Amino acid sequence: MATQAKRRRVSCGGRRRSTPLRRASPLPRPQRRAARGCAACRGSFAALHIPSPNPGPSSARAAVFSAPSELFRAGQRHCACLSQVAGLAGSEDPAPVASFLSWCRRVGLELSPKVAVSRQGTVAGYGMVARESVQPGELLFAVPRAALLSQHTCSISGLLERERGALQSQSGWVPLLLALLHELQAPASPWSPYFALWPELGRLEHPMFCPRVRSLELYRQLVALVMAYSFQEPLEEEDDEKEPNSPLMVPAADVLNHLANHNANLEYSPNCLRMVATQPIPKGHEIFNTYGQMANWQLIHMYGFTEPYPDNTDDTADIQMVTVREAALQGTKVEAERLLLYERWDFLCKLEMVGEEGAFVIGREEVLTEEELAMTLKVLCMPAEEFREFKDQDGWGDDKREEDSLTITNIPKLKASWRQLLRDSVLLTLQTYATDLKTEQDLLSSKEVYATLSWREQQALQVRYGQKMILHQLLELTN
């Protein structure tokens, strides 16, 4: 049995992070490994004083939101009736929950009597709450695979299979999107009661719909919905190098909201998908799934919301790799020192420890790119003769010492030169923000002022504040 908590190694410009798969990724594997931001929303985030997650027009991070355009072009070739779908997903149902629960019984989707689908007592929209106390390990609901909505289960599955070659795209989303377009228009679609619980497409709070990029309206709305609500079954360990599974819609599971400290987990088995409690859930409390170990910038890009500080224990801050190089250059006095530093940098590039568009990722409790950052500090700070010898050995024979560990608790014990370079890099990173930490704290501490901000401004504030808290923690540790 596979569980959503299984982790896969994901890298970005020399960065690696273990992350569990839960929701479907909009990117093919090569792009997903490099994705770290949103080109379409970069301008909007800049207006809200969030530094671009990774500057540069050629950044692979742009892939996150170049995917929808590619999806539209592919879908446009195969669907001539997009406009007919407008409004269908948001149509009113006098009793959507009762209709959905009746449908669950018909398709064999078993919900525990201890849980309820409701808008009451949830953090956003529909959610699931405990009607009675739930203990860890208890089954909350089981979704038979026949109830899943995918390119393989929809009523045009045969057509999609025959046209598979024509529907291929980098994202792999086009077949599911066309399946949804068809089922939404089909008067007798088996999933109609399920659609009644969907949010109105035009009201999706997602950065894709920033005013400046509002185009391809309907199709992008569906792309955003799939991005936020679809699932992707994780591969088994032995299949890790295979192409990822196709995305699919999982009724009931997509009702659950996200929390880093979640109390439920989705498990995959041959016959069904099971949502199981992982913590005690008191009566009346909401049941939360996890969308993965995601920083706030990832949550807002992918799902359109953030977790206020300090709730998101998976939050991170980036230090651009070139920023560390810039900080090191500040300490050079003559041209020979500058040339040697660039030689060191080129050597790190050869070792694939750094890249022009990569970032070192710092979490609340760990350095997610510990290997890369430690090697970078080591090479940039070591004496010239030691570097020559190290370079001649191509980096081999480097025994990692405990005192060089970049765990958060060990940072104060690092060599003085390492701490100084790391501190200078943090200071340069903080300069890229348009506001300082105190300004953010003042906004958050004043309920009246915070209430005057737009929804997007509030979310951007939460992203900035969480990142700055991590960076200021680094300043304290390197002092």
Side-chain angles (χ1 to χ4, degrees), residues 9 51 67 88 122 129 150 216 316 319 335 364-365 378 383 424:
R9 301 288 280 174
L88 287 177
T122 65
V129 296
S150 72
L216 313 177
T316 64
I319 298 176
E335 184 64 17
R364 296 254 299 269
E365 299 177 355
K378 176 184 179 70
D424 291 343

Side-chain angles (χ1 to χ4, degrees), residues 15 105 175 180 198 220 317 325 337 378 384 413 433 465:
R15 174 182 61 86
R105 289 189 290 271
L180 293 179
W198 281 11
R220 289 199 175 193
R325 182 182 66 192
E337 291 179 350
K378 176 184 179 70
K413 305 174 186 177
Y433 292 87
Y465 184 68

Side-chain angles (χ1 to χ4, degrees), residues 9 58 61 111 149 155 179 188 190 200 218 228 262 310 344 354 410 430 470:
R9 301 288 280 174
S58 62
R61 300 180 181 202
L111 274 74
L149 175 49
S155 56
E200 293 187 33
L218 176 60
H262 56 101
R344 296 172 190 250
V354 298
N410 198 60
L430 286 169
I470 292 172

